[in-house]
Amino acid sequence: FQYLKRFDQGCDLDRFCYEALSVEGSPAECLQLFLLHCGVLDPSWAELRNFTWFLNIQLRDCEASVFCNPDFVQDTLNGF
C-alpha cells in the first residue's frame, strides 16, 4: 500500500523503503488502491490476495537487491 500510494502521488520510489508497522491511510483507501492497480476489472478476493502477495514479494526482493540500491548504482538506472 505504501508503494502504491506514493506511486499514485508521483513520488520518487527509488529511495523509498517500506516502513514496517507504520499505519497509513484507511482500510477503504487500501482496498481502493488494490482494486485500481490489480489489473482485473472485477477481482475476487483470491485475485486481490494473489496480487498483493506477488507485489509484496517483488518489492521486498527489490529492496534487498544491491542492484536496486540507488547508492550502489547511483544514476545509471534512474527510475528503473
Side-chain angles (χ1 to χ4, degrees):
F1 173 75
Q2 293 176 13
Y3 272 96
L4 290 176
K5 181 177 177 182
R6 284 163 179 77
F7 176 77
D8 278 355
Q9 293 171 345
C11 297
D12 179 17
L13 298 176
D14 288 343
R15 296 214 172 263
F16 176 73
C17 287
Y18 168 69
E19 299 170 25
L21 303 177
S22 74
V23 177
E24 295 183 14
S26 66
E29 184 183 10
C30 182
L31 181 58
Q32 183 179 14
L33 277 178
F34 289 159
L35 289 169
L36 181 66
H37 290 282
C38 82
V40 177
L41 290 178
D42 187 18
S44 67
W45 286 110
E47 289 168 323
L48 282 176
R49 184 229 174 255
N50 288 338
F51 167 71
T52 57
W53 174 79
F54 178 77
L55 184 62
N56 186 53
I57 296 294
Q58 295 301 307
L59 292 171
R60 185 186 67 204
D61 289 349
C62 180
E63 284 186 358
S65 172
V66 69
F67 298 106
C68 295
N69 182 334
D71 296 326
F72 176 74
V73 296
Q74 297 175 359
D75 66 348
T76 59
L77 297 173
N78 191 21
F80 178 69

